[in-house]
Amino acid sequence: MYGSVSCEFDFTTEVLNELLSYQVVEGHGCIESNNYNDLHAFPDSGAGEKIELLQPIIEKDLTNECNFDVKMCGSIATEELHFGEGLHRKAFRTKVIYGLLPLFDPGHRCVLKIHNAISHGTKANSELIKQNYVLAVQECHVQSAARQYGNMFSAEGTLLEGFGEAPEVIPIYLVHCPANDVPYATIEEELIGEFVKYSMKDGRELNSGRKESDVGLKCCTFQHWVYQWTEGNLLVTDMQGVGMKLTDVGIATSRKGYKGFKGNCSISFLDQFKALHQCNVYCKMMGLKSLNQYKPKKISPKKTQASQPIPKSTKKMPSSPQSTRRSFVKSTFGDKTSQKHL
């Protein structure tokens, strides 16, 4: 076959200027801003700290490792004092100076979470840096997996009359700070408003008015939905956030994991949730089974290497919590696109 194909694009002046303000940094596979206005948007912050940002890829199938998209180069200005601290990490407020479009506009306020294994460790520095990387990647993997299930849950629930808006687990990104002693961290948008915890990390629901709120009820239903969808082998825990936006979630899986994926919480949380969960109006709306009559299905060792918690048209999948709506969920895995974070 011979011939040629051509096409034309009509760009506005604003779009052209935006395209011209970025270049691929040779030898780094990294996108960086050339926009003079971006560089000088925050004169009080100087040039900030140069970073490389990697976006986790939302896979069709849950996998045993976290894969990332192309690196983006940019700069952020981070406050010196942290505002939150957990067992293994600290949270710092930061703002984007340039280079992270379209994920974050210049001036966007975010939260940088740094795992402090290096400062408290006694091993060789190279080993601690590796551990720092592993912890940051694991955090990206867990929250991205929870977001993946959240997209499925939202697609099914919002089809139901009277269900309304569904909770959303916000995106998280891996950050490499070459000039920093602790080189790897995670970054996400800062959630502004009242930060509320809807369930404990061990799977227990809060016996307070928080759980009885509309968001709290839907979070509990989301946990139930994931538990049933994975046949009792995976549970999203530690549900917390601002409004319908959730972050810092955890995942518990059965002893051998689920389809190759292993969570970051104790397996005992699965039994705890099954014993204590009380179905609510949204559980009934989605046709979920009572957990008192539900027996988790054990996964054989051979199947733990497979990775497909999400339905594909060519493979036989577990029964959906609501099979009449499963055909719609098949195409909902694309990603969408301020909190005491610990």
Side-chain angles (χ1 to χ4, degrees):
M1 183 179 292
Y2 299 93
S4 62
V5 177
S6 64
C7 60
E8 295 182 358
F9 297 93
D10 294 323
F11 293 116
T12 64
T13 302
E14 291 78 7
V15 172
L16 286 172
N17 288 335
E18 188 65 38
L19 290 173
L20 291 173
S21 69
Y22 288 85
Q23 68 174 354
V24 175
V25 180
E26 186 176 356
H28 292 80
C30 197
I31 302 173
E32 189 172 71
S33 174
N34 282 330
N35 193 322
Y36 179 84
N37 292 327
D38 285 352
L39 294 172
H40 296 275
F42 303 98
D44 59 320
S45 301
E49 179 181 20
K50 289 189 176 183
I51 65 167
E52 297 172 351
L53 182 148
L54 294 93
Q55 180 178 9
I57 298 174
I58 300 296
E59 308 278 2
K60 281 190 175 182
D61 299 329
L62 197 64
T63 61
N64 60 359
E65 61 182 16
C66 189
N67 298 311
F68 296 90
D69 207 341
V70 64
K71 290 187 294 186
M72 302 178 67
C73 293
S75 180
I76 58 175
T78 304
E79 295 180 358
E80 292 186 8
L81 299 178
H82 63 276
F83 71 94
E85 182 173 6
L87 182 60
H88 298 297
R89 65 183 181 183
K90 296 179 181 179
F92 298 79
R93 289 188 174 91
T94 188
K95 63 181 175 182
V96 176
I97 298 181
Y98 70 86
L100 302 183
L101 287 169
L103 301 179
F104 299 114
D105 294 326
H108 196 105
R109 297 193 175 276
C110 300
V111 172
L112 190 73
K113 298 176 184 176
I114 301 176
H115 290 272
N116 45 1
I118 290 180
S119 60
H120 297 289
T122 57
K123 298 181 181 179
N125 191 57
S126 60
E127 294 182 30
L128 292 170
I129 290 177
K130 182 179 179 179
Q131 182 65 10
N132 169 236
Y133 173 78
V134 169
L135 291 171
V137 170
Q138 182 189 49
E139 188 170 334
C140 287
H141 199 190
V142 168
Q143 188 150 320
S144 295
R147 178 171 172 80
Q148 182 177 355
Y149 281 114
N151 290 346
M152 295 171 59
F153 174 76
S154 176
E156 185 169 311
T158 53
L159 283 177
L160 303 174
E161 183 178 357
F163 188 90
E165 185 182 2
E168 175 194 4
V169 180
I170 66 173
I172 188 172
Y173 309 99
L174 179 67
V175 169
H176 179 218
C177 310
N180 203 303
D181 292 336
V182 186
Y184 294 99
T186 62
I187 194 171
E188 61 191 59
E189 69 170 303
E190 182 179 8
L191 300 181
I192 304 299
E194 182 185 4
F195 196 82
V196 179
K197 183 180 281 287
Y198 299 106
S199 72
M200 305 301 290
K201 193 169 185 177
D202 61 5
R204 288 180 293 131
E205 300 169 349
L206 295 180
N207 296 318
S208 67
R210 294 176 179 179
K211 192 193 82 169
E212 299 304 322
S213 68
D214 192 55
V215 183
L217 291 174
K218 289 178 179 177
C219 284
C220 293
T221 299
F222 174 47
Q223 291 181 289
H224 187 172
W225 185 92
V226 172
Y227 183 90
Q228 184 169 317
W229 169 256
T230 61
E231 300 179 317
N233 287 286
L234 187 147
L235 176 72
V236 179
T237 71
D238 212 12
M239 307 285 283
Q240 56 192 312
V242 176
M244 287 288 181
K245 291 191 173 185
L246 307 176
T247 186
D248 285 342
V249 298
I251 290 182
T253 52
S254 57
R255 187 176 301 277
K256 296 180 180 179
Y258 178 70
K259 307 295 186 180
F261 174 86
K262 288 191 176 183
N264 59 345
C265 298
S266 170
I267 62 173
S268 64
F269 298 175
L270 291 164
D271 294 332
Q272 181 99 315
F273 177 78
K274 180 185 175 183
L276 299 178
H277 173 71
Q278 296 179 349
C279 288
N280 59 56
V281 61
Y282 294 110
C283 296
K284 296 176 182 178
M285 191 180 295
M286 297 191 74
L288 301 178
K289 301 176 182 178
S290 171
L291 296 183
N292 294 328
Q293 304 173 353
Y294 192 83
K295 184 177 181 179
K297 181 179 178 180
K298 295 183 179 180
I299 300 177
S300 63
K302 292 183 179 180
K303 293 186 178 181
T304 57
Q305 300 302 318
S307 56
Q308 50 179 23
I310 301 175
K312 284 187 177 180
S313 58
T314 59
K315 296 183 180 181
K316 185 177 180 182
M317 300 301 299
S319 300
S320 164
Q322 190 171 2
S323 59
T324 58
R325 305 188 183 277
R326 185 56 49 216
S327 60
F328 178 83
V329 178
K330 291 177 183 177
S331 60
T332 60
F333 311 113
D335 206 6
K336 303 176 185 175
T337 351
S338 229
Q339 97 197 349
K340 185 178 178 183
H341 286 258
L342 297 167

